[in-house]
Coordinates of all heavy atoms in Angstrom, one line a residue:
S7 N 0.9 -1.2 0.0 CA 0.0 0.0 0.0 C 0.9 1.3 0.0 O 0.5 2.2 -0.7 CB -0.9 0.0 1.2 OG -1.8 -1.1 1.2
I8 N 1.9 1.2 0.7 CA 2.8 2.3 0.8 C 3.5 2.5 -0.6 O 3.6 3.7 -1.1 CB 4.0 2.1 1.9 CG1 3.3 2.3 3.3 CG2 5.1 3.1 1.8 CD1 4.2 2.0 4.4
V9 N 4.0 1.5 -1.1 CA 4.7 1.6 -2.4 C 3.8 2.1 -3.5 O 4.1 3.0 -4.3 CB 5.4 0.2 -2.8 CG1 5.8 0.3 -4.2 CG2 6.5 -0.1 -1.9
E10 N 2.6 1.6 -3.5 CA 1.5 2.0 -4.5 C 1.2 3.4 -4.4 O 1.2 4.2 -5.3 CB 0.3 1.1 -4.4 CG -0.8 1.4 -5.3 CD -1.9 0.5 -5.1 OE1 -1.7 -0.8 -4.9 OE2 -3.1 1.0 -5.1
H11 N 1.0 3.9 -3.1 CA 0.7 5.3 -2.9 C 1.8 6.2 -3.4 O 1.6 7.2 -4.0 CB 0.4 5.5 -1.5 CG 0.1 7.0 -1.1 ND1 -1.0 7.7 -1.5 CD2 0.9 7.9 -0.5 CE1 -0.9 8.9 -1.1 NE2 0.2 9.1 -0.5
L12 N 3.0 5.8 -3.0 CA 4.2 6.7 -3.3 C 4.4 6.8 -4.9 O 4.8 7.8 -5.4 CB 5.5 6.2 -2.6 CG 5.6 6.5 -1.1 CD1 6.8 5.8 -0.5 CD2 5.5 7.9 -0.8
Q13 N 4.2 5.6 -5.5 CA 4.3 5.7 -6.9 C 3.3 6.5 -7.6 O 3.6 7.2 -8.6 CB 4.3 4.2 -7.4 CG 5.6 3.4 -7.2 CD 5.6 2.0 -7.5 OE1 4.5 1.4 -7.8 NE2 6.8 1.3 -7.6
K14 N 2.1 6.5 -7.0 CA 1.0 7.4 -7.6 C 1.4 8.9 -7.4 O 1.0 9.7 -8.2 CB -0.3 7.1 -6.9 CG -1.0 5.8 -7.4 CD -2.3 5.7 -6.7 CE -3.0 4.4 -7.0 NZ -4.2 4.2 -6.3
K15 N 2.1 9.1 -6.4 CA 2.6 10.5 -6.2 C 3.8 10.9 -6.9 O 4.3 12.0 -6.7 CB 2.8 10.8 -4.7 CG 1.5 10.7 -3.8 CD 0.6 11.9 -4.2 CE -0.6 11.9 -3.3 NZ -1.5 13.0 -3.5
G16 N 4.4 10.0 -7.7 CA 5.5 10.3 -8.5 C 6.9 9.9 -8.0 O 7.9 10.2 -8.5
F17 N 6.9 9.3 -6.8 CA 8.2 8.8 -6.2 C 8.6 7.4 -6.8 O 7.7 6.7 -7.3 CB 8.0 8.6 -4.7 CG 7.8 9.9 -3.9 CD1 6.5 10.2 -3.5 CD2 8.8 10.7 -3.7 CE1 6.3 11.4 -2.8 CE2 8.7 11.9 -3.0 CZ 7.4 12.2 -2.5
T18 N 9.9 7.2 -6.9 CA 10.4 5.9 -7.3 C 10.9 5.1 -6.1 O 11.7 5.6 -5.4 CB 11.5 6.2 -8.3 OG1 11.1 7.0 -9.4 CG2 12.1 4.8 -8.8
I19 N 10.2 3.9 -6.0 CA 10.5 3.1 -4.8 C 10.3 1.6 -5.2 O 9.2 1.4 -5.9 CB 9.9 3.5 -3.6 CG1 10.4 2.6 -2.4 CG2 8.4 3.4 -3.7 CD1 9.9 3.1 -1.0
E20 N 11.1 0.7 -4.8 CA 10.9 -0.7 -5.0 C 10.1 -1.3 -3.8 O 10.3 -0.8 -2.7 CB 12.2 -1.4 -5.2 CG 12.9 -0.9 -6.5 CD 14.2 -1.8 -6.7 OE1 14.2 -3.0 -6.5 OE2 15.2 -1.1 -6.9
N21 N 9.4 -2.3 -4.0 CA 8.7 -3.0 -2.9 C 9.6 -4.1 -2.3 O 9.4 -5.3 -2.5 CB 7.3 -3.6 -3.5 CG 6.5 -4.1 -2.3 OD1 6.8 -3.9 -1.1 ND2 5.3 -4.6 -2.6
K22 N 10.6 -3.6 -1.6 CA 11.5 -4.4 -0.9 C 11.5 -4.0 0.5 O 11.6 -2.7 0.8 CB 13.0 -4.3 -1.5 CG 13.0 -4.9 -2.9 CD 14.5 -4.8 -3.4 CE 14.5 -5.4 -4.8 NZ 15.9 -5.4 -5.4
P23 N 11.6 -4.8 1.5 CA 11.5 -4.5 2.9 C 12.5 -3.5 3.4 O 12.3 -2.6 4.2 CB 11.7 -5.8 3.7 CG 11.3 -6.8 2.7 CD 11.7 -6.3 1.3
N24 N 13.8 -3.5 2.8 CA 14.8 -2.6 3.2 C 15.0 -1.4 2.3 O 15.9 -0.6 2.4 CB 16.2 -3.4 3.3 CG 16.2 -4.3 4.4 OD1 15.5 -4.1 5.5 ND2 16.8 -5.5 4.2
A25 N 14.0 -1.2 1.4 CA 14.0 0.1 0.6 C 14.0 1.3 1.5 O 13.4 1.4 2.6 CB 12.9 0.1 -0.4
K26 N 14.8 2.3 1.1 CA 14.9 3.5 2.0 C 13.9 4.6 1.5 O 13.6 4.7 0.4 CB 16.3 4.1 1.9 CG 17.4 3.2 2.4 CD 17.3 2.9 3.8 CE 18.4 2.0 4.3 NZ 18.1 1.5 5.7
L27 N 13.3 5.2 2.5 CA 12.3 6.3 2.3 C 13.0 7.6 2.6 O 13.6 7.7 3.7 CB 11.1 6.1 3.2 CG 10.3 4.8 3.0 CD1 9.2 4.8 4.1 CD2 9.7 4.7 1.6
S28 N 12.8 8.5 1.6 CA 13.4 9.9 2.0 C 12.5 10.6 2.9 O 11.3 10.1 3.2 CB 13.5 10.7 0.7 OG 12.2 10.9 0.2
D29 N 12.9 11.8 3.4 CA 12.1 12.6 4.4 C 10.8 13.0 3.6 O 9.7 13.0 4.2 CB 12.8 13.8 4.8 CG 13.9 13.4 5.8 OD1 13.8 12.3 6.4 OD2 14.9 14.2 6.0
E30 N 10.9 13.4 2.3 CA 9.7 13.8 1.6 C 8.7 12.6 1.5 O 7.5 12.8 1.6 CB 10.1 14.2 0.1 CG 10.8 15.5 0.0 CD 11.1 15.8 -1.5 OE1 10.1 16.0 -2.1 OE2 12.3 15.8 -1.8
M31 N 9.2 11.4 1.2 CA 8.3 10.2 1.1 C 7.6 10.0 2.4 O 6.4 9.8 2.5 CB 9.1 9.0 0.8 CG 9.6 9.0 -0.7 SD 10.7 7.5 -0.8 CE 11.1 7.6 -2.5
Y32 N 8.4 10.1 3.5 CA 7.9 9.8 4.9 C 6.8 10.9 5.2 O 5.8 10.5 5.7 CB 9.0 9.8 5.9 CG 8.5 9.5 7.3 CD1 8.3 8.1 7.6 CD2 8.4 10.5 8.2 CE1 7.9 7.8 8.9 CE2 8.0 10.1 9.5 CZ 7.7 8.8 9.8 OH 7.3 8.4 11.1
D33 N 7.1 12.1 4.9 CA 6.0 13.2 5.2 C 4.7 13.0 4.4 O 3.7 13.2 5.0 CB 6.7 14.6 4.9 CG 7.8 15.0 5.8 OD1 7.9 14.4 6.9 OD2 8.5 15.9 5.4
E34 N 4.9 12.6 3.2 CA 3.7 12.2 2.4 C 2.9 11.1 3.0 O 1.6 11.1 3.1 CB 4.1 11.9 0.9 CG 3.0 11.4 0.0 CD 1.8 12.4 -0.1 OE1 2.1 13.6 -0.2 OE2 0.7 12.0 -0.2
L35 N 3.6 10.1 3.5 CA 3.0 8.9 4.0 C 2.2 9.3 5.4 O 1.1 8.8 5.7 CB 4.0 7.8 4.4 CG 4.6 7.2 3.1 CD1 5.7 6.2 3.5 CD2 3.4 6.4 2.3
I36 N 2.9 10.2 6.1 CA 2.2 10.6 7.4 C 1.0 11.4 7.1 O -0.1 11.1 7.7 CB 3.2 11.6 8.2 CG1 4.4 10.8 8.7 CG2 2.5 12.3 9.3 CD1 4.1 9.7 9.7
K37 N 1.0 12.2 6.1 CA -0.3 12.9 5.7 C -1.4 11.9 5.2 O -2.5 12.1 5.6 CB 0.0 13.9 4.5 CG 0.7 15.1 4.9 CD 0.7 16.2 3.9 CE 1.6 15.8 2.7 NZ 1.8 16.8 1.6
E38 N -1.0 10.9 4.4 CA -1.9 10.0 3.9 C -2.5 9.0 4.9 O -3.7 8.7 4.9 CB -1.3 9.2 2.7 CG -2.2 8.3 2.0 CD -3.4 8.9 1.3 OE1 -3.4 10.1 1.0 OE2 -4.4 8.1 1.1
F39 N -1.6 8.5 5.7 CA -2.0 7.4 6.6 C -2.1 7.8 8.1 O -2.0 6.9 8.9 CB -1.1 6.2 6.5 CG -1.0 5.6 5.0 CD1 0.0 5.8 4.2 CD2 -2.1 4.9 4.5 CE1 0.0 5.3 2.9 CE2 -2.1 4.4 3.3 CZ -1.1 4.6 2.4
S40 N -2.3 9.0 8.4 CA -2.3 9.5 9.8 C -3.6 8.8 10.5 O -3.4 8.5 11.8 CB -2.4 11.0 9.9 OG -3.5 11.5 9.2
S41 N -4.6 8.5 9.8 CA -5.8 7.9 10.5 C -5.4 6.4 10.9 O -5.9 6.0 11.9 CB -7.0 7.8 9.5 OG -6.7 7.2 8.4
S42 N -4.5 5.7 10.1 CA -4.1 4.4 10.5 C -3.3 4.4 11.7 O -3.4 3.5 12.6 CB -3.3 3.7 9.4 OG -4.1 3.6 8.2
I43 N -2.5 5.5 12.0 CA -1.7 5.6 13.2 C -2.7 5.7 14.4 O -2.5 5.1 15.4 CB -0.8 6.8 13.1 CG1 0.2 6.7 12.0 CG2 -0.1 7.0 14.4 CD1 1.0 7.9 11.7
A44 N -3.8 6.5 14.2 CA -4.6 6.7 15.3 C -5.4 5.4 15.7 O -5.6 5.1 16.8 CB -5.7 7.7 15.0
V45 N -5.7 4.6 14.7 CA -6.4 3.3 14.9 C -5.4 2.4 15.7 O -5.8 1.7 16.6 CB -6.8 2.7 13.6 CG1 -7.2 1.2 13.8 CG2 -8.0 3.5 13.0
K46 N -4.2 2.4 15.2 CA -3.2 1.5 15.9 C -3.0 1.9 17.3 O -2.9 1.0 18.2 CB -1.9 1.5 15.2 CG -0.8 0.6 15.8 CD 0.5 0.7 15.0 CE 1.5 -0.3 15.7 NZ 2.8 -0.2 15.2
E47 N -2.9 3.3 17.6 CA -2.6 3.7 19.0 C -3.9 3.3 19.9 O -3.8 2.9 21.0 CB -2.4 5.2 19.0 CG -1.1 5.5 18.5 CD -0.8 7.0 18.5 OE1 -1.8 7.8 18.8 OE2 0.2 7.5 18.1
K48 N -5.0 3.4 19.3 CA -6.3 3.1 20.1 C -6.3 1.6 20.3 O -6.6 1.1 21.5 CB -7.5 3.5 19.3 CG -8.8 3.3 20.0 CD -10.0 3.9 19.2 CE -11.2 3.7 20.0 NZ -12.4 4.3 19.2
A49 N -5.9 0.8 19.4 CA -5.9 -0.7 19.6 C -4.8 -1.1 20.6 O -5.0 -2.0 21.4 CB -5.7 -1.4 18.3
D50 N -3.7 -0.4 20.6 CA -2.7 -0.7 21.6 C -3.1 -0.5 23.0 O -2.6 -1.1 23.9 CB -1.4 0.2 21.3 CG -0.7 -0.3 20.1 OD1 -0.9 -1.4 19.6 OD2 0.2 0.5 19.6
H51 N -4.1 0.4 23.3 CA -4.6 0.7 24.6 C -5.7 -0.2 25.1 O -6.1 -0.1 26.2 CB -5.0 2.2 24.7 CG -3.9 3.1 24.5 ND1 -2.8 3.2 25.4 CD2 -3.6 4.1 23.6 CE1 -2.0 4.0 25.0 NE2 -2.4 4.6 23.9

């Protein structure tokens, strides 16, 4: 899901576990998937 989203946004990334994400990529993912973070935090509690 991460790779697919980043590729749609014009980033080049391979679907390999050790692929490196730049700060720009990471910021884009935080914007897109922030709701998933909230769900995980709620589940952890």
Side-chain angles (χ1 to χ4, degrees):
S7 297
I8 288 175
V9 170
E10 185 178 312
H11 175 74
L12 288 174
Q13 288 175 342
K14 284 181 184 176
K15 292 293 184 175
F17 293 102
T18 302
I19 185 168
E20 295 182 49
N21 193 1
K22 294 183 178 180
N24 291 325
K26 298 294 181 193
L27 301 174
S28 68
D29 289 337
E30 286 182 66
M31 291 177 178
Y32 186 76
D33 291 343
E34 174 60 38
L35 293 172
I36 293 296
K37 285 192 291 188
E38 179 66 20
F39 297 110
S40 61
S41 63
S42 295
I43 295 171
V45 169
K46 182 180 180 189
E47 287 176 359
K48 190 174 181 179
D50 288 344
H51 294 297

